[in-house]
Amino acid sequence: MNKGIILEIPSQVEYLSLVRAVVASAARVDQSLGDQRIDDLRLAVSEATTNAIRAHANLGSSERITIRFGLEGDRIEVEVQDRGSGFDPEKLDPAGPLTDKGRLEYEGGFGIPLMKILADEKTIESADEGTTVNLTVYVSPPSETI
Amino acid sequence: MMLTLSNSNTGIWTVIHVAGEVDMATGPQLRQEIVRQVSEGNIHLVIDLRKVDFIDSTGLGILVGGVKRAKSNGGDFRCSGLSSSLEEVFALTGLDSVLAVVDLDQDPSSWTKSNE
């Protein structure tokens, strides 16, 4: 993938709005991507970056977080890489529907499901030395690509 | 990005007007304001999102917490002014099943009935 833009940000929540602004502006370079899809990508990337910042905070790490953005033919790919302690994506406990008894007691549990829904493709590679989230949004839906 | 909060009162309702982006950086401000209002007895709350450009999962969680706080104190919690993107996110996460959306231009008496 030709990752045209590379951002390295301090692991601080104050930089989230900058990441979103860059992703949205870069995505608009491809004028065929509608505003709704840009909003979807913006939110998915923000969630991935938020998780990366949390991972560094859990370690007390001041290392930077890397976001790579690429426009590649029929798709936009974004990679968010942290240097946290990693986790097992298969062992994430789904929070369940909000209508479940007791679910309102818990404010979390939206981030990773949102990434999964909003991106056309999502992969999480996680190991002891960090996590890399890849998000892909197709300019046209995957079923329409050749 | 800054988050700006202001309040107004309409009948029994306290409306918290939110402007800006709600995320992990700014969300604690909104949570604190909701907690403050409920602790002062303002248990009928509407969150006005007309000037909100963005909400992430932190913000959604704060709204979930608002529903719990208001209801557990005998009140109601509503929101208003969702953009089309935010409507989509509410539907995708199921937030629309526990958080009613009201129209601030309508009679506030209709807001109470919105989630019954």
Side-chain angles (χ1 to χ4, degrees), chain A residues 13-14 16-17 20 36 39-40 42-43 46-47 50 54 98-99 104-107 110-111 114 117-118, chain B residues 1 21 23-25 31 53-58 61 64-65 68-69 85 88-89 92-95 97:
Chain A
V13 293
E14 290 78 9
L16 284 167
S17 60
R20 290 194 294 270
Q36 186 73 53
D39 284 348
D40 290 349
R42 188 170 67 133
L43 178 51
S46 189
E47 295 296 342
T50 297
R54 281 202 181 104
L98 285 167
T99 47
L104 293 180
E105 300 295 322
Y106 177 54
E107 293 187 5
F110 294 112
L114 270 176
I117 294 167
L118 296 172
Chain B
M1 169 62 77
E21 296 184 335
D23 63 11
M24 194 181 173
R31 182 189 286 109
D53 305 317
F54 176 86
I55 288 190
D56 73 352
S57 61
T58 306
V64 167
K68 185 201 74 175
R69 284 189 178 88
S85 288
E88 180 197 25
V89 170
L92 291 173
T93 56
L95 197 55
S97 63

mmCIF file of all heavy atoms in Angstrom, chain A residues 13-14 16-17 20 36 39-40 42-43 46-47 50 54 98-99 104-107 110-111 114 117-118, chain B residues 1 21 23-25 31 53-58 61 64-65 68-69 85 88-89 92-95 97:
data_model
loop_
_atom_site.group_PDB
_atom_site.id
_atom_site.type_symbol
_atom_site.label_atom_id
_atom_site.label_comp_id
_atom_site.label_asym_id
_atom_site.label_seq_id
_atom_site.Cartn_x
_atom_site.Cartn_y
_atom_site.Cartn_z
ATOM 1 N N VAL A 13 -4.430 12.705 24.568
ATOM 2 C CA VAL A 13 -5.776 12.821 24.001
ATOM 3 C C VAL A 13 -5.990 14.143 23.263
ATOM 4 O O VAL A 13 -6.851 14.234 22.387
ATOM 5 C CB VAL A 13 -6.864 12.648 25.087
ATOM 6 C CG1 VAL A 13 -6.861 11.234 25.615
ATOM 7 C CG2 VAL A 13 -6.676 13.651 26.223
ATOM 8 N N GLU A 14 -5.204 15.140 23.616
ATOM 9 C CA GLU A 14 -5.364 16.445 22.962
ATOM 10 C C GLU A 14 -5.054 16.378 21.465
ATOM 11 O O GLU A 14 -5.407 17.287 20.712
ATOM 12 C CB GLU A 14 -4.456 17.486 23.630
ATOM 13 C CG GLU A 14 -4.873 17.881 25.051
ATOM 14 C CD GLU A 14 -4.487 16.850 26.103
ATOM 15 O OE1 GLU A 14 -3.742 15.896 25.782
ATOM 16 O OE2 GLU A 14 -4.948 16.994 27.246
ATOM 17 N N LEU A 16 -6.136 13.955 19.447
ATOM 18 C CA LEU A 16 -7.158 13.203 18.718
ATOM 19 C C LEU A 16 -7.827 14.053 17.642
ATOM 20 O O LEU A 16 -8.072 13.581 16.527
ATOM 21 C CB LEU A 16 -8.217 12.675 19.693
ATOM 22 C CG LEU A 16 -7.801 11.467 20.540
ATOM 23 C CD1 LEU A 16 -8.806 11.241 21.669
ATOM 24 C CD2 LEU A 16 -7.690 10.230 19.663
ATOM 25 N N SER A 17 -8.132 15.299 17.966
ATOM 26 C CA SER A 17 -8.831 16.143 16.980
ATOM 27 C C SER A 17 -7.940 16.427 15.775
ATOM 28 O O SER A 17 -8.428 16.529 14.642
ATOM 29 C CB SER A 17 -9.319 17.446 17.613
ATOM 30 O OG SER A 17 -8.242 18.185 18.116
ATOM 31 N N ARG A 20 -8.123 13.354 13.525
ATOM 32 C CA ARG A 20 -9.395 13.338 12.783
ATOM 33 C C ARG A 20 -9.391 14.350 11.647
ATOM 34 O O ARG A 20 -9.855 14.057 10.535
ATOM 35 C CB ARG A 20 -10.556 13.634 13.737
ATOM 36 C CG ARG A 20 -10.839 12.532 14.721
ATOM 37 C CD ARG A 20 -12.190 12.737 15.384
ATOM 38 N NE ARG A 20 -12.250 13.913 16.227
ATOM 39 C CZ ARG A 20 -11.955 13.921 17.535
ATOM 40 N NH1 ARG A 20 -11.581 12.809 18.125
ATOM 41 N NH2 ARG A 20 -12.048 15.024 18.226
ATOM 42 N N GLN A 36 -20.679 10.983 4.355
ATOM 43 C CA GLN A 36 -21.031 9.975 5.367
ATOM 44 C C GLN A 36 -19.897 8.979 5.569
ATOM 45 O O GLN A 36 -19.555 8.617 6.696
ATOM 46 C CB GLN A 36 -22.310 9.244 4.943
ATOM 47 C CG GLN A 36 -22.847 8.279 5.989
ATOM 48 C CD GLN A 36 -23.487 8.994 7.177
ATOM 49 O OE1 GLN A 36 -24.365 9.840 6.989
ATOM 50 N NE2 GLN A 36 -23.045 8.680 8.390
ATOM 51 N N ASP A 39 -17.105 10.547 7.437
ATOM 52 C CA ASP A 39 -17.422 10.579 8.872
ATOM 53 C C ASP A 39 -17.197 9.213 9.498
ATOM 54 O O ASP A 39 -16.715 9.104 10.634
ATOM 55 C CB ASP A 39 -18.877 11.019 9.086
ATOM 56 C CG ASP A 39 -19.057 12.515 8.896
ATOM 57 O OD1 ASP A 39 -18.043 13.237 8.830
ATOM 58 O OD2 ASP A 39 -20.213 12.963 8.802
ATOM 59 N N ASP A 40 -17.583 8.152 8.782
ATOM 60 C CA ASP A 40 -17.373 6.788 9.294
ATOM 61 C C ASP A 40 -15.881 6.524 9.525
ATOM 62 O O ASP A 40 -15.486 5.998 10.569
ATOM 63 C CB ASP A 40 -17.908 5.744 8.295
ATOM 64 C CG ASP A 40 -19.427 5.740 8.208
ATOM 65 O OD1 ASP A 40 -20.076 6.379 9.056
ATOM 66 O OD2 ASP A 40 -19.959 5.104 7.276
ATOM 67 N N ARG A 42 -13.467 8.716 9.841
ATOM 68 C CA ARG A 42 -12.966 9.629 10.880
ATOM 69 C C ARG A 42 -13.230 9.048 12.272
ATOM 70 O O ARG A 42 -12.351 9.054 13.140
ATOM 71 C CB ARG A 42 -13.681 10.978 10.712
ATOM 72 C CG ARG A 42 -13.181 12.095 11.557
ATOM 73 C CD ARG A 42 -13.787 13.409 11.127
ATOM 74 N NE ARG A 42 -15.216 13.480 11.378
ATOM 75 C CZ ARG A 42 -15.834 14.505 11.959
ATOM 76 N NH1 ARG A 42 -15.138 15.564 12.328
ATOM 77 N NH2 ARG A 42 -17.129 14.519 12.159
ATOM 78 N N LEU A 43 -14.429 8.518 12.471
ATOM 79 C CA LEU A 43 -14.774 7.954 13.782
ATOM 80 C C LEU A 43 -13.989 6.671 14.038
ATOM 81 O O LEU A 43 -13.464 6.464 15.145
ATOM 82 C CB LEU A 43 -16.285 7.695 13.858
ATOM 83 C CG LEU A 43 -16.813 7.057 15.150
ATOM 84 C CD1 LEU A 43 -16.339 7.810 16.387
ATOM 85 C CD2 LEU A 43 -18.348 7.016 15.125
ATOM 86 N N SER A 46 -10.453 7.536 14.882
ATOM 87 C CA SER A 46 -10.401 8.169 16.200
ATOM 88 C C SER A 46 -10.492 7.115 17.302
ATOM 89 O O SER A 46 -9.778 7.191 18.319
ATOM 90 C CB SER A 46 -11.549 9.182 16.332
ATOM 91 O OG SER A 46 -11.406 9.960 17.498
ATOM 92 N N GLU A 47 -11.356 6.117 17.091
ATOM 93 C CA GLU A 47 -11.479 5.042 18.090
ATOM 94 C C GLU A 47 -10.162 4.253 18.207
ATOM 95 O O GLU A 47 -9.715 3.927 19.310
ATOM 96 C CB GLU A 47 -12.619 4.088 17.716
ATOM 97 C CG GLU A 47 -13.992 4.706 17.735
ATOM 98 C CD GLU A 47 -14.435 5.181 19.111
ATOM 99 O OE1 GLU A 47 -13.844 4.736 20.108
ATOM 100 O OE2 GLU A 47 -15.340 6.025 19.170
ATOM 101 N N THR A 50 -7.659 6.412 19.994
ATOM 102 C CA THR A 50 -8.000 6.488 21.423
ATOM 103 C C THR A 50 -7.520 5.235 22.150
ATOM 104 O O THR A 50 -6.931 5.316 23.237
ATOM 105 C CB THR A 50 -9.525 6.644 21.593
ATOM 106 O OG1 THR A 50 -9.935 7.866 20.995
ATOM 107 C CG2 THR A 50 -9.915 6.661 23.071
ATOM 108 N N ARG A 54 -4.773 4.930 25.157
ATOM 109 C CA ARG A 54 -5.065 4.201 26.414
ATOM 110 C C ARG A 54 -3.992 3.146 26.684
ATOM 111 O O ARG A 54 -3.556 2.964 27.826
ATOM 112 C CB ARG A 54 -6.424 3.511 26.318
ATOM 113 C CG ARG A 54 -7.598 4.424 26.541
ATOM 114 C CD ARG A 54 -8.837 3.630 26.965
ATOM 115 N NE ARG A 54 -9.973 4.518 27.148
ATOM 116 C CZ ARG A 54 -10.970 4.639 26.288
ATOM 117 N NH1 ARG A 54 -10.984 3.901 25.183
ATOM 118 N NH2 ARG A 54 -11.955 5.475 26.507
ATOM 119 N N LEU A 98 -27.666 -2.525 24.790
ATOM 120 C CA LEU A 98 -27.957 -1.554 25.849
ATOM 121 C C LEU A 98 -29.249 -1.866 26.576
ATOM 122 O O LEU A 98 -29.476 -1.393 27.692
ATOM 123 C CB LEU A 98 -28.018 -0.146 25.244
ATOM 124 C CG LEU A 98 -26.665 0.467 24.891
ATOM 125 C CD1 LEU A 98 -26.850 1.696 24.025
ATOM 126 C CD2 LEU A 98 -25.900 0.822 26.151
ATOM 127 N N THR A 99 -30.103 -2.662 25.955
ATOM 128 C CA THR A 99 -31.378 -3.006 26.585
ATOM 129 C C THR A 99 -31.217 -4.130 27.614
ATOM 130 O O THR A 99 -32.147 -4.438 28.348
ATOM 131 C CB THR A 99 -32.400 -3.428 25.507
ATOM 132 O OG1 THR A 99 -31.773 -4.359 24.622
ATOM 133 C CG2 THR A 99 -32.885 -2.234 24.720
ATOM 134 N N LEU A 104 -26.589 -0.450 31.421
ATOM 135 C CA LEU A 104 -26.407 0.992 31.597
ATOM 136 C C LEU A 104 -25.400 1.332 32.693
ATOM 137 O O LEU A 104 -24.964 2.470 32.811
ATOM 138 C CB LEU A 104 -27.750 1.670 31.904
ATOM 139 C CG LEU A 104 -28.791 1.666 30.774
ATOM 140 C CD1 LEU A 104 -30.057 2.377 31.227
ATOM 141 C CD2 LEU A 104 -28.249 2.320 29.501
ATOM 142 N N GLU A 105 -25.040 0.321 33.502
ATOM 143 C CA GLU A 105 -24.044 0.562 34.530
ATOM 144 C C GLU A 105 -22.645 0.741 33.947
ATOM 145 O O GLU A 105 -21.730 1.197 34.612
ATOM 146 C CB GLU A 105 -23.998 -0.626 35.511
ATOM 147 C CG GLU A 105 -25.302 -0.890 36.232
ATOM 148 C CD GLU A 105 -25.676 0.259 37.148
ATOM 149 O OE1 GLU A 105 -24.779 0.832 37.775
ATOM 150 O OE2 GLU A 105 -26.885 0.590 37.206
ATOM 151 N N TYR A 106 -22.496 0.333 32.709
ATOM 152 C CA TYR A 106 -21.170 0.287 32.094
ATOM 153 C C TYR A 106 -21.122 1.237 30.893
ATOM 154 O O TYR A 106 -21.880 1.074 29.937
ATOM 155 C CB TYR A 106 -20.881 -1.159 31.649
ATOM 156 C CG TYR A 106 -19.574 -1.373 30.939
ATOM 157 C CD1 TYR A 106 -18.376 -0.959 31.507
ATOM 158 C CD2 TYR A 106 -19.545 -1.998 29.694
ATOM 159 C CE1 TYR A 106 -17.180 -1.155 30.840
ATOM 160 C CE2 TYR A 106 -18.349 -2.210 29.031
ATOM 161 C CZ TYR A 106 -17.175 -1.789 29.603
ATOM 162 O OH TYR A 106 -15.991 -1.979 28.945
ATOM 163 N N GLU A 107 -20.250 2.246 30.960
ATOM 164 C CA GLU A 107 -20.213 3.253 29.894
ATOM 165 C C GLU A 107 -19.357 2.829 28.704
ATOM 166 O O GLU A 107 -19.414 3.435 27.648
ATOM 167 C CB GLU A 107 -19.687 4.584 30.457
ATOM 168 C CG GLU A 107 -20.618 5.236 31.468
ATOM 169 C CD GLU A 107 -20.159 6.619 31.883
ATOM 170 O OE1 GLU A 107 -19.163 7.122 31.323
ATOM 171 O OE2 GLU A 107 -20.803 7.210 32.775
ATOM 172 N N PHE A 110 -18.095 0.464 23.396
ATOM 173 C CA PHE A 110 -18.561 0.893 22.077
ATOM 174 C C PHE A 110 -17.454 0.968 21.029
ATOM 175 O O PHE A 110 -17.705 0.892 19.836
ATOM 176 C CB PHE A 110 -19.208 2.288 22.167
ATOM 177 C CG PHE A 110 -20.467 2.333 22.960
ATOM 178 C CD1 PHE A 110 -20.520 3.003 24.164
ATOM 179 C CD2 PHE A 110 -21.619 1.714 22.507
ATOM 180 C CE1 PHE A 110 -21.683 3.055 24.908
ATOM 181 C CE2 PHE A 110 -22.793 1.748 23.234
ATOM 182 C CZ PHE A 110 -22.822 2.423 24.442
ATOM 183 N N GLY A 111 -16.222 1.181 21.463
ATOM 184 C CA GLY A 111 -15.154 1.546 20.542
ATOM 185 C C GLY A 111 -14.842 0.505 19.478
ATOM 186 O O GLY A 111 -14.916 0.791 18.276
ATOM 187 N N LEU A 114 -17.691 -0.272 17.093
ATOM 188 C CA LEU A 114 -17.885 0.807 16.110
ATOM 189 C C LEU A 114 -16.876 0.703 14.970
ATOM 190 O O LEU A 114 -17.221 0.859 13.799
ATOM 191 C CB LEU A 114 -17.742 2.168 16.794
ATOM 192 C CG LEU A 114 -19.011 2.782 17.366
ATOM 193 C CD1 LEU A 114 -18.667 4.073 18.099
ATOM 194 C CD2 LEU A 114 -20.050 3.038 16.290
ATOM 195 N N ILE A 117 -17.940 -1.984 12.615
ATOM 196 C CA ILE A 117 -19.118 -1.664 11.800
ATOM 197 C C ILE A 117 -18.794 -0.611 10.745
ATOM 198 O O ILE A 117 -19.235 -0.706 9.591
ATOM 199 C CB ILE A 117 -20.267 -1.151 12.705
ATOM 200 C CG1 ILE A 117 -20.753 -2.259 13.640
ATOM 201 C CG2 ILE A 117 -21.425 -0.631 11.864
ATOM 202 C CD1 ILE A 117 -21.657 -1.749 14.758
ATOM 203 N N LEU A 118 -18.014 0.391 11.134
ATOM 204 C CA LEU A 118 -17.832 1.555 10.263
ATOM 205 C C LEU A 118 -16.809 1.330 9.156
ATOM 206 O O LEU A 118 -16.926 1.904 8.078
ATOM 207 C CB LEU A 118 -17.412 2.769 11.104
ATOM 208 C CG LEU A 118 -18.460 3.247 12.109
ATOM 209 C CD1 LEU A 118 -17.871 4.325 13.008
ATOM 210 C CD2 LEU A 118 -19.696 3.769 11.394
ATOM 211 N N MET B 1 -9.447 20.871 19.967
ATOM 212 C CA MET B 1 -10.840 21.313 19.815
ATOM 213 C C MET B 1 -11.462 21.504 21.191
ATOM 214 O O MET B 1 -11.373 20.640 22.042
ATOM 215 C CB MET B 1 -11.627 20.281 18.995
ATOM 216 C CG MET B 1 -13.143 20.461 18.973
ATOM 217 S SD MET B 1 -13.735 21.987 18.255
ATOM 218 C CE MET B 1 -13.547 21.632 16.512
ATOM 219 N N GLU B 21 -16.521 19.105 19.795
ATOM 220 C CA GLU B 21 -16.316 17.674 19.606
ATOM 221 C C GLU B 21 -16.265 16.993 20.978
ATOM 222 O O GLU B 21 -15.611 17.491 21.888
ATOM 223 C CB GLU B 21 -15.004 17.408 18.860
ATOM 224 C CG GLU B 21 -14.995 17.964 17.450
ATOM 225 C CD GLU B 21 -13.714 17.609 16.692
ATOM 226 O OE1 GLU B 21 -12.672 17.365 17.329
ATOM 227 O OE2 GLU B 21 -13.770 17.592 15.451
ATOM 228 N N ASP B 23 -14.981 13.826 22.820
ATOM 229 C CA ASP B 23 -14.111 12.652 22.715
ATOM 230 C C ASP B 23 -13.442 12.406 24.069
ATOM 231 O O ASP B 23 -13.865 12.954 25.082
ATOM 232 C CB ASP B 23 -13.091 12.792 21.568
ATOM 233 C CG ASP B 23 -12.119 13.950 21.780
ATOM 234 O OD1 ASP B 23 -12.083 14.519 22.895
ATOM 235 O OD2 ASP B 23 -11.383 14.283 20.836
ATOM 236 N N MET B 24 -12.396 11.594 24.056
ATOM 237 C CA MET B 24 -11.730 11.243 25.307
ATOM 238 C C MET B 24 -11.092 12.475 25.973
ATOM 239 O O MET B 24 -10.920 12.517 27.189
ATOM 240 C CB MET B 24 -10.656 10.197 25.014
ATOM 241 C CG MET B 24 -10.090 9.490 26.223
ATOM 242 S SD MET B 24 -8.829 8.324 25.661
ATOM 243 C CE MET B 24 -8.165 7.774 27.216
ATOM 244 N N ALA B 25 -10.766 13.478 25.159
ATOM 245 C CA ALA B 25 -10.143 14.686 25.704
ATOM 246 C C ALA B 25 -11.176 15.607 26.342
ATOM 247 O O ALA B 25 -10.943 16.177 27.407
ATOM 248 C CB ALA B 25 -9.384 15.414 24.596
ATOM 249 N N ARG B 31 -19.416 14.923 31.150
ATOM 250 C CA ARG B 31 -19.808 14.020 32.246
ATOM 251 C C ARG B 31 -19.943 14.794 33.554
ATOM 252 O O ARG B 31 -20.911 14.640 34.300
ATOM 253 C CB ARG B 31 -18.788 12.902 32.410
ATOM 254 C CG ARG B 31 -19.190 11.918 33.511
ATOM 255 C CD ARG B 31 -18.096 10.923 33.851
ATOM 256 N NE ARG B 31 -17.926 9.908 32.835
ATOM 257 C CZ ARG B 31 -16.880 9.815 32.015
ATOM 258 N NH1 ARG B 31 -15.895 10.708 32.113
ATOM 259 N NH2 ARG B 31 -16.787 8.864 31.133
ATOM 260 N N ASP B 53 -19.998 18.481 16.367
ATOM 261 C CA ASP B 53 -19.456 18.011 15.090
ATOM 262 C C ASP B 53 -19.082 16.538 15.145
ATOM 263 O O ASP B 53 -18.975 15.886 14.104
ATOM 264 C CB ASP B 53 -18.170 18.790 14.740
ATOM 265 C CG ASP B 53 -18.396 20.274 14.742
ATOM 266 O OD1 ASP B 53 -19.436 20.690 14.216
ATOM 267 O OD2 ASP B 53 -17.552 21.014 15.272
ATOM 268 N N PHE B 54 -18.848 16.032 16.351
ATOM 269 C CA PHE B 54 -18.277 14.687 16.451
ATOM 270 C C PHE B 54 -18.505 14.150 17.852
ATOM 271 O O PHE B 54 -18.331 14.865 18.836
ATOM 272 C CB PHE B 54 -16.762 14.760 16.165
ATOM 273 C CG PHE B 54 -16.046 13.454 16.320
ATOM 274 C CD1 PHE B 54 -15.989 12.540 15.266
ATOM 275 C CD2 PHE B 54 -15.432 13.117 17.518
ATOM 276 C CE1 PHE B 54 -15.345 11.326 15.419
ATOM 277 C CE2 PHE B 54 -14.780 11.906 17.673
ATOM 278 C CZ PHE B 54 -14.742 11.006 16.620
ATOM 279 N N ILE B 55 -18.885 12.867 17.920
ATOM 280 C CA ILE B 55 -18.926 12.154 19.212
ATOM 281 C C ILE B 55 -18.286 10.797 19.011
ATOM 282 O O ILE B 55 -18.610 10.089 18.058
ATOM 283 C CB ILE B 55 -20.367 11.959 19.719
ATOM 284 C CG1 ILE B 55 -20.966 13.275 20.189
ATOM 285 C CG2 ILE B 55 -20.379 10.988 20.896
ATOM 286 C CD1 ILE B 55 -22.290 13.112 20.913
ATOM 287 N N ASP B 56 -17.410 10.425 19.924
ATOM 288 C CA ASP B 56 -16.810 9.089 19.836
ATOM 289 C C ASP B 56 -17.422 8.173 20.899
ATOM 290 O O ASP B 56 -18.420 8.522 21.542
ATOM 291 C CB ASP B 56 -15.283 9.169 19.972
ATOM 292 C CG ASP B 56 -14.844 9.477 21.396
ATOM 293 O OD1 ASP B 56 -15.708 9.774 22.254
ATOM 294 O OD2 ASP B 56 -13.633 9.401 21.663
ATOM 295 N N SER B 57 -16.815 7.008 21.086
ATOM 296 C CA SER B 57 -17.375 6.040 22.028
ATOM 297 C C SER B 57 -17.354 6.559 23.455
ATOM 298 O O SER B 57 -18.218 6.203 24.263
ATOM 299 C CB SER B 57 -16.603 4.719 21.938
ATOM 300 O OG SER B 57 -15.247 4.912 22.270
ATOM 301 N N THR B 58 -16.384 7.417 23.771
ATOM 302 C CA THR B 58 -16.364 8.026 25.105
ATOM 303 C C THR B 58 -17.625 8.859 25.311
ATOM 304 O O THR B 58 -18.276 8.771 26.354
ATOM 305 C CB THR B 58 -15.123 8.927 25.275
ATOM 306 O OG1 THR B 58 -13.952 8.165 24.974
ATOM 307 C CG2 THR B 58 -15.026 9.475 26.682
ATOM 308 N N GLY B 61 -20.653 6.721 25.744
ATOM 309 C CA GLY B 61 -20.672 6.166 27.094
ATOM 310 C C GLY B 61 -21.156 7.186 28.116
ATOM 311 O O GLY B 61 -21.873 6.837 29.066
ATOM 312 N N VAL B 64 -24.835 7.265 27.926
ATOM 313 C CA VAL B 64 -25.366 6.084 28.618
ATOM 314 C C VAL B 64 -25.359 6.322 30.129
ATOM 315 O O VAL B 64 -26.337 6.043 30.833
ATOM 316 C CB VAL B 64 -24.531 4.823 28.270
ATOM 317 C CG1 VAL B 64 -24.873 3.665 29.213
ATOM 318 C CG2 VAL B 64 -24.777 4.411 26.827
ATOM 319 N N GLY B 65 -24.244 6.860 30.623
ATOM 320 C CA GLY B 65 -24.147 7.174 32.042
ATOM 321 C C GLY B 65 -25.186 8.203 32.469
ATOM 322 O O GLY B 65 -25.730 8.135 33.575
ATOM 323 N N LYS B 68 -28.533 6.547 32.961
ATOM 324 C CA LYS B 68 -28.550 5.823 34.244
ATOM 325 C C LYS B 68 -28.698 6.792 35.417
ATOM 326 O O LYS B 68 -29.520 6.585 36.304
ATOM 327 C CB LYS B 68 -27.256 5.022 34.389
ATOM 328 C CG LYS B 68 -27.219 4.148 35.614
ATOM 329 C CD LYS B 68 -25.818 3.786 36.018
ATOM 330 C CE LYS B 68 -25.114 4.972 36.660
ATOM 331 N NZ LYS B 68 -23.780 4.661 37.181
ATOM 332 N N ARG B 69 -27.910 7.867 35.392
ATOM 333 C CA ARG B 69 -27.925 8.814 36.508
ATOM 334 C C ARG B 69 -29.292 9.477 36.659
ATOM 335 O O ARG B 69 -29.826 9.592 37.763
ATOM 336 C CB ARG B 69 -26.866 9.903 36.304
ATOM 337 C CG ARG B 69 -25.471 9.434 36.586
ATOM 338 C CD ARG B 69 -24.450 10.564 36.585
ATOM 339 N NE ARG B 69 -23.149 10.016 36.906
ATOM 340 C CZ ARG B 69 -22.299 9.529 35.995
ATOM 341 N NH1 ARG B 69 -22.615 9.554 34.706
ATOM 342 N NH2 ARG B 69 -21.143 9.021 36.364
ATOM 343 N N SER B 85 -24.978 11.757 10.704
ATOM 344 C CA SER B 85 -23.925 10.827 11.113
ATOM 345 C C SER B 85 -24.164 10.314 12.525
ATOM 346 O O SER B 85 -23.985 9.132 12.811
ATOM 347 C CB SER B 85 -22.559 11.510 11.062
ATOM 348 O OG SER B 85 -22.158 11.698 9.743
ATOM 349 N N GLU B 88 -26.881 7.807 12.677
ATOM 350 C CA GLU B 88 -26.379 6.500 12.247
ATOM 351 C C GLU B 88 -25.665 5.798 13.407
ATOM 352 O O GLU B 88 -25.885 4.614 13.663
ATOM 353 C CB GLU B 88 -25.404 6.665 11.067
ATOM 354 C CG GLU B 88 -24.837 5.340 10.565
ATOM 355 C CD GLU B 88 -23.595 5.491 9.691
ATOM 356 O OE1 GLU B 88 -22.885 6.494 9.822
ATOM 357 O OE2 GLU B 88 -23.339 4.577 8.894
ATOM 358 N N VAL B 89 -24.826 6.536 14.107
ATOM 359 C CA VAL B 89 -24.068 5.946 15.213
ATOM 360 C C VAL B 89 -25.014 5.498 16.337
ATOM 361 O O VAL B 89 -24.835 4.432 16.924
ATOM 362 C CB VAL B 89 -23.023 6.954 15.740
ATOM 363 C CG1 VAL B 89 -22.397 6.477 17.035
ATOM 364 C CG2 VAL B 89 -21.939 7.175 14.688
ATOM 365 N N LEU B 92 -26.517 2.253 15.101
ATOM 366 C CA LEU B 92 -25.551 1.155 15.050
ATOM 367 C C LEU B 92 -25.220 0.611 16.442
ATOM 368 O O LEU B 92 -24.998 -0.589 16.614
ATOM 369 C CB LEU B 92 -24.247 1.626 14.374
ATOM 370 C CG LEU B 92 -24.307 1.930 12.885
ATOM 371 C CD1 LEU B 92 -22.998 2.552 12.409
ATOM 372 C CD2 LEU B 92 -24.617 0.675 12.084
ATOM 373 N N THR B 93 -25.176 1.504 17.416
ATOM 374 C CA THR B 93 -24.800 1.080 18.763
ATOM 375 C C THR B 93 -26.002 0.680 19.620
ATOM 376 O O THR B 93 -25.822 0.171 20.725
ATOM 377 C CB THR B 93 -24.054 2.214 19.495
ATOM 378 O OG1 THR B 93 -24.901 3.383 19.501
ATOM 379 C CG2 THR B 93 -22.740 2.538 18.816
ATOM 380 N N GLY B 94 -27.198 0.938 19.111
ATOM 381 C CA GLY B 94 -28.396 0.632 19.904
ATOM 382 C C GLY B 94 -28.723 1.702 20.921
ATOM 383 O O GLY B 94 -29.650 1.540 21.720
ATOM 384 N N LEU B 95 -27.972 2.803 20.879
ATOM 385 C CA LEU B 95 -28.243 3.884 21.825
ATOM 386 C C LEU B 95 -29.659 4.445 21.633
ATOM 387 O O LEU B 95 -30.290 4.927 22.578
ATOM 388 C CB LEU B 95 -27.194 4.994 21.659
ATOM 389 C CG LEU B 95 -27.055 6.008 22.789
ATOM 390 C CD1 LEU B 95 -26.801 5.335 24.126
ATOM 391 C CD2 LEU B 95 -25.947 7.002 22.493
ATOM 392 N N SER B 97 -32.213 2.896 21.373
ATOM 393 C CA SER B 97 -33.208 2.077 22.078
ATOM 394 C C SER B 97 -33.375 2.495 23.543
ATOM 395 O O SER B 97 -34.347 2.105 24.192
ATOM 396 C CB SER B 97 -32.820 0.597 22.006
ATOM 397 O OG SER B 97 -31.584 0.386 22.671
#
